C-alpha cells in the first residue's frame, strides 16, 4: 500500500477481506481480480524510482547462461545479450537469483513463455542443492486447452470461487449447452463431497476432483477436459453490477479469449500448472549450498510446502526481497570481505568457453544438412505431455519409472535431431528456447526421481498407491517428513538425495478433512 497499490476497501475506509480456497474465514486482502498484477506494478514502480535516481542499473534483454565460482564462492555470471548474441561477463561480491519457477517444464502452464529453469539448473550443476523438485501447484481455475499448438494457459483468479459454483452434468458425455441442463441434472460435486468448504476447498482438492470427474466422462467442452464455474446464482442474488465490480476485468478477459460471456453462461475451467514450490535449497538467510549464492522468490524452495494455498501468491518474492535479503546479505558481505571484481580470472574463461561449446552443440544439426530434423517445440511438447501424464496430479510407480526411462530417449533425440536455425551471433529466439528446453530435459530427470522417491500423496500430487478408501490423498509423516535435496553428480550419473528432516514443535501435521 505504501507503494500505491489500490487494495479494495470497505465503505468506511478499512481494508476489505474475502475468502480464498482452503479457509472458511475472510482473511485475504485483494485488488479486484488482479491482486498479483497490482503488487507487481507496485514493486516495479518502486524499482524504477531507484533506476531514475541512479542507484540501480537494469541490463535488459540478457539471459543468465552460467554461474561463475571463484575460490568456492559465487562471484559472477555469464550472460548472453539476446539482441546481439554476444556473451558478457559480470562480477560481484555475491550473486542473487530471482529467476522464477520451472512450471514451463510441462510445456503448458500459466507462466510466461520465457519462464524457465536455466539459471537455477546451471547453479545446481555447480553444486547448489535442488529441493523438492516434484512439488508443483496445479491451479484449478484456468481456461482449458483449446488446441494442440497452444503455447500458454490463462489463469482465472482464485477469487471467482467466492461466488462461483463448480459443476458438471450428471449424465456422462452430455453435449447440451449449460443453459439447457436443468438444476436436477447438475452435479455440484465439490459442494456434495465437501459440505463444510464447498467450492472453497484448497486448490489441490479442487484440481484433483476436477480431473476425477473428467476422467469419469462428465467433463464438458469439445475436449471433455473442463468443468463449469457458474456465477449465474450470484448474479441473480446480487445483481450484475455488483458482480462486475468484483470480477469485471476477469469477465472481459475470459470473453476476449473464449468468445463466451460469463454473465450469460458459465465459464469453463480446468486445472493447470501454476506455481512451483520446489527450487534451489536455501537456509534461513536465503543462501544456497554455494557460498555467496542467494536465491529468492519462486526460484527457491522455502516458505511453501507441497500444497500452496491461495492468498500467498507473492509471499516468497515480496517477503524475501523486502524483509529478509537486505539484512541477511549484509551479514554475508561483512563476513566475506573485499575481493577482486575483475572478470579476467580463469573461472570466467572456463564458464564462457562452456557456454560457447553448449551453444555450438545446439546449432550443429542445422549446419550438418541432416534431413528429418524437428523443432524445439516438438521436443518440449513431448516432454510436457510425458510429465503431465505421469508426474502431474496423479502418479504411480509404474508411470514414474516409464517417464524416467523415456526422458533420456527424448533427450538423445533432441541432441541428435533438433533444428535450431540461425547463429549464436544475432537475435535468435529459437536458440534461446533450445537452451531452455535442453535444461528442462536434464532437470526433468531429477523431478521424476523426486516424485518416485516420495511414496506418499502430498498436496495436489496423488500417489495412487497412497490414498484413503474415499480416494483422498493419504500422507505418510512417519517416513516423509523431510525436505528432499538433490545434489548433481555429473552427466550420466544419478544425483544424490539428501534428506533434511523437519521438526514441528508447536503443531502436529495431520490428515486434512474438508468434509
Amino acid at each position: 500500500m505504501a507503494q500505491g497499490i489500490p487494495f479494495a476497501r470497505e465503505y468506511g475506509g478499512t481494508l476489505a477481506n474475502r475468502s480464498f480456497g482452503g479457509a472458511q474465514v475472510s482473511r485475504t486482502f485483494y485488488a479486484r481480480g488482479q491482486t498479483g498484477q497490482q503488487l507487481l506494478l507496485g514493486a516495479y514502480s518502486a524499482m524504477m524510482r531507484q533506476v531514475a535516481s541512479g542507484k540501480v542499473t537494469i541490463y535488459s534483454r540478457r539471459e543468465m547462461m552460467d554461474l561463475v565460482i571463484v575460490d568456492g564462492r559465487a562471484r559472477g555470471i555469464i550472460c548472453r545479450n539476446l539482441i546481439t548474441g554476444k556473451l558478457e561477463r559480470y562480477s560481484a561480491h555475491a550473486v542473487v537469483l530471482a529467476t522464477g519457477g520451472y512450471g514451463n517444464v510441462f510445456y503448458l502452464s500459466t507462466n510466461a513463455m520465457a519462464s524457465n529453469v536455466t539459471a537455477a539448473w546451471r547453479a545446481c550443476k555447480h553444486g547448489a542443492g535442488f529441493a523438492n523438485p516434484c512439488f508443483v501447484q496445479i491451479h484449478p481455475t484456468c481456461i482449458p486447452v483449446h488446441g494442440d499448438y497452444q503455447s500458454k494457459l490463462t489463469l482465472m483468479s482464485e477469487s471467482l470461487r467466492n461466488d462461483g459454483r463448480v459443476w458438471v452434468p450428471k449424465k456422462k458425455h452430455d453435449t447440451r449447452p449449460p443453459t439447457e441442463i436443468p438444476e436436477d441434472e447438475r452435479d455440484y460435486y465439490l459442494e456434495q463431497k465437501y459440505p463444510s468448504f464447498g467450492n472453497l476447498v484448497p486448490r489441490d482438492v479442487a484440481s484433483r476432483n476436477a480431473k476425477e470427474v473428467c476422467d469419469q466422462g462428465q467433463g464438458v467442452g469439445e475436449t471433455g477436459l473442463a468443468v463449469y464455474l457458474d456465477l449465474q446464482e450470484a448474479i441473480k442474488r446480487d445483481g450484475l453490477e455488483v458482480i462486475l465490480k468484483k470480477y469485471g476485468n476477469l469477465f472481459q478477459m475470459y470473453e476476449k479469449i473464449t468468445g463466451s460471456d460469463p454473465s450469460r453462461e458459465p465459464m469453463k475451467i480446468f486445472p493447470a500448472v501454476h506455481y512451483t514450490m520446489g527450487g534451489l535449497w536455501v537456509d534461513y538467510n536465503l543462501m544456497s549450498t554455494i557460498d555467496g549464492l542467494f536465491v529468492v522468490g519462486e526460484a527457491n524452495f522455502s516458505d511453501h510446502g507441497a500444497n500452496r494455498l491461495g492468498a500467498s501468491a507473492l509471499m516468497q518474492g515480496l517477503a524475501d526481497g523486502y524483509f529478509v535479503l537486505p539484512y541477511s546479505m549484509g551479514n554475508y558481505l561483512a563476513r566475506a570481505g573485499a575481493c577482486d571484481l575483475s572478470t579476467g580470472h580463469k573461472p570466467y574463461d572456463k564458464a564462457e568457453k562452456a557456454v560457447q561449446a553448449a551453444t555450438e552443440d545446439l546449432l550443429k544439426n542445422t549446419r550438418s544438412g541432416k534431413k528429418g530434423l524437428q523443432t524445439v517445440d516438438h521436443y518440449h511438447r513431448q516432454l510436457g505431455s510425458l510429465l503431465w501424464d505421469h508426474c502431474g496430479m496423479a502418479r504411480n510407480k509404474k508411470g514414474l519409472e516409464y517417464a524416467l526411462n523415456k526422458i533420456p530417449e527424448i533427450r538423445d533425440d533432441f541432441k541428435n535431431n533438433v533444428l535450431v536455425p540461425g547463429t549464436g551471433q544475432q537475435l535468435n529466439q529459437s536458440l534461446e528456447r533450445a537452451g531452455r528446453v535442453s535444461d528442462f530435459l536434464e532437470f526433468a530427470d531429477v523431478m521424476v526421481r523426486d516424485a518416485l522417491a516420495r511414496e506418499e500423496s502430498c498436496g495436489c500430487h496423488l500417489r495412487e498407491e497412497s490414498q484413503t478408501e474415499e480416494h483422498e490423498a493419504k500422507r505418510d509423516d512417519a517416513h516423509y517428513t523431510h525436505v528432499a535435496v538433490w545434489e548433481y553428480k555429473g552427466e550420466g550419473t544419478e544425483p544424490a538425495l539428501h534428506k533434511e528432516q523437519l521438526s514441528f514443535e508447536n503443531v502436529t501435521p495431520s490428515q486434512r478433512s474438508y468434509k
Side-chain angles (χ1 to χ4, degrees):
M1 288 184 294
Q3 294 178 352
I5 299 167
F7 279 100
R9 292 182 178 273
E10 302 290 358
Y11 182 77
T14 57
L15 282 168
N17 288 98
R18 67 182 174 201
S19 300
F20 236 54
Q24 291 175 306
V25 295
S26 295
R27 64 181 179 92
T28 309
F29 300 120
Y30 63 97
R32 293 186 69 186
Q34 51 184 218
T35 311
Q37 183 183 30
Q38 293 298 330
L39 290 171
L40 172 67
L41 291 173
Y44 188 78
S45 299
M47 181 184 73
M48 293 308 294
R49 283 184 61 206
Q50 302 306 313
V51 172
S53 67
K55 296 180 180 179
V56 172
T57 302
I58 293 179
Y59 294 90
S60 60
R61 297 179 177 88
R62 265 81 169 176
E63 182 167 27
M64 176 181 158
M65 304 303 292
D66 208 355
L67 180 69
V68 179
I69 308 290
V70 179
D71 298 328
R73 288 180 174 172
R75 289 298 194 196
I77 57 174
I78 304 294
C79 284
R80 181 173 185 268
N81 185 314
L82 298 180
I83 302 300
T84 66
K86 181 182 177 182
L87 295 180
E88 301 171 348
R89 302 179 178 190
Y90 296 95
S91 65
H93 292 95
V95 176
V96 179
L97 294 187
T99 51
Y102 49 86
N104 276 341
V105 69
F106 289 90
Y107 184 71
L108 283 177
S109 79
T110 65
N111 290 255
M113 287 299 292
S115 296
N116 59 79
V117 77
T118 290
W121 181 243
R122 302 285 169 90
C124 182
K125 293 175 80 170
H126 280 286
F130 210 110
N132 298 337
C134 80
F135 286 177
V136 175
Q137 183 203 83
I138 314 292
H139 199 292
T141 55
C142 294
I143 296 178
V145 175
H146 60 251
D148 290 341
Y149 288 89
Q150 185 174 348
S151 58
K152 184 187 182 299
L153 294 170
T154 302
L155 172 70
M156 302 306 292
S157 172
E158 183 85 353
S159 61
L160 289 165
R161 289 200 285 145
N162 274 284
D163 290 297
R165 301 181 71 190
V166 178
W167 65 275
V168 290
K170 290 181 178 178
K171 178 184 174 183
K172 292 184 179 181
H173 311 296
D174 193 334
T175 58
R176 289 177 294 172
T179 52
E180 295 180 11
I181 301 175
E183 193 72 17
D184 60 353
E185 294 182 35
R186 298 181 179 187
D187 181 3
Y188 293 93
Y189 57 91
L190 291 178
E191 297 174 24
Q192 293 169 8
K193 198 171 181 180
Y194 307 100
S196 294
F197 280 74
N199 297 297
L200 285 175
V201 292
R203 293 178 179 183
D204 63 315
V205 177
S207 296
R208 204 163 51 240
N209 277 273
K211 179 182 185 299
E212 187 176 301
V213 294
C214 289
D215 288 346
Q216 293 169 357
Q218 293 175 266
V220 300
E222 293 180 5
T223 63
L225 295 176
V227 299
Y228 289 127
L229 179 62
D230 196 339
L231 287 103
Q232 301 307 304
E233 187 175 298
I235 291 172
K236 290 177 183 176
R237 181 189 67 225
D238 300 332
L240 180 59
E241 185 179 350
V242 171
I243 296 301
L244 288 178
K245 282 183 178 179
K246 290 182 178 179
Y247 312 115
N249 61 308
L250 297 172
F251 277 41
Q252 294 165 8
M253 182 168 67
Y254 183 87
E255 185 172 8
K256 188 172 184 178
I257 293 171
T258 67
S260 172
D261 182 358
S263 69
R264 297 178 180 273
E265 60 182 27
M267 291 181 177
K268 295 187 188 76
I269 58 167
F270 194 68
V273 172
H274 181 48
Y275 191 94
T276 55
M277 282 78 74
L280 293 179
W281 183 91
V282 292
D283 60 17
Y284 284 107
N285 293 318
L286 298 179
M287 190 160 72
S288 71
T289 51
I290 297 176
D291 208 29
L293 177 65
F294 293 83
V295 190
V296 302
E298 195 178 356
N300 74 35
F301 87 107
S302 67
D303 299 344
H304 299 302
N307 172 49
R308 193 179 67 87
L309 296 177
S312 58
L314 289 166
M315 186 179 97
Q316 267 186 283
L318 298 179
D320 289 354
Y322 284 130
F323 305 118
V324 183
L325 192 65
Y327 307 99
S328 60
M329 175 168 272
N331 183 60
Y332 167 77
L333 294 174
R335 171 171 63 85
C339 65
D340 181 3
L341 293 180
S342 64
T343 58
H345 300 297
K346 286 184 179 179
Y348 287 91
D349 297 335
K350 182 180 179 181
E352 188 171 319
K353 286 179 181 177
V355 171
Q356 288 173 334
T359 301
E360 290 298 314
D361 197 45
L362 291 171
L363 294 165
K364 67 180 182 182
N365 296 327
T366 309
R367 296 171 181 171
S368 70
K370 188 188 295 186
K371 303 295 183 182
L373 300 180
Q374 299 286 352
T375 65
V376 174
D377 280 0
H378 167 80
Y379 295 102
H380 198 176
R381 276 194 295 267
Q382 268 192 325
L383 177 65
S385 178
L386 181 73
L387 293 177
W388 181 250
D389 290 341
H390 300 292
C391 195
M393 278 187 283
R395 306 167 173 183
N396 58 58
K397 183 178 180 182
K398 183 180 178 181
L400 289 167
E401 288 178 341
Y402 171 78
L404 200 58
N405 291 324
K406 190 69 177 175
I407 289 169
E409 294 179 18
I410 301 174
R411 190 163 61 238
D412 289 343
D413 191 14
F414 173 86
K415 287 181 179 179
N416 296 321
N417 296 299
V418 70
L419 172 68
V420 184
T423 71
Q425 285 75 51
Q426 63 185 76
L427 172 67
N428 190 341
Q429 291 183 308
S430 293
L431 179 60
E432 293 171 35
R433 288 186 58 75
R436 296 162 187 169
V437 172
S438 178
D439 289 326
F440 278 141
L441 284 163
E442 292 183 1
F443 167 71
D445 181 87
V446 179
M447 188 176 180
V448 173
R449 288 182 189 278
D450 188 44
L452 193 58
R454 191 169 286 273
E455 297 178 353
E456 65 162 350
S457 291
C458 212
C460 195
H461 311 305
L462 179 73
R463 186 64 183 257
E464 292 177 358
E465 300 93 333
S466 181
Q467 54 183 307
T468 66
E469 293 180 358
E470 298 176 315
H471 304 295
E472 299 290 346
K474 185 179 180 181
R475 57 195 298 155
D476 184 356
D477 294 318
H479 299 98
Y480 296 100
T481 310
H482 64 257
V483 174
V485 186
W486 295 86
E487 179 187 1
Y488 182 77
K489 288 292 187 178
E491 187 174 351
T493 304
E494 289 188 15
L497 171 59
H498 305 278
K499 298 178 180 179
E500 180 188 16
Q501 295 299 323
L502 300 172
S503 60
F504 298 88
E505 297 177 359
N506 300 314
V507 294
T508 302
S510 59
Q511 190 75 22
R512 295 178 298 159
S513 174
Y514 297 97
K515 296 187 175 183

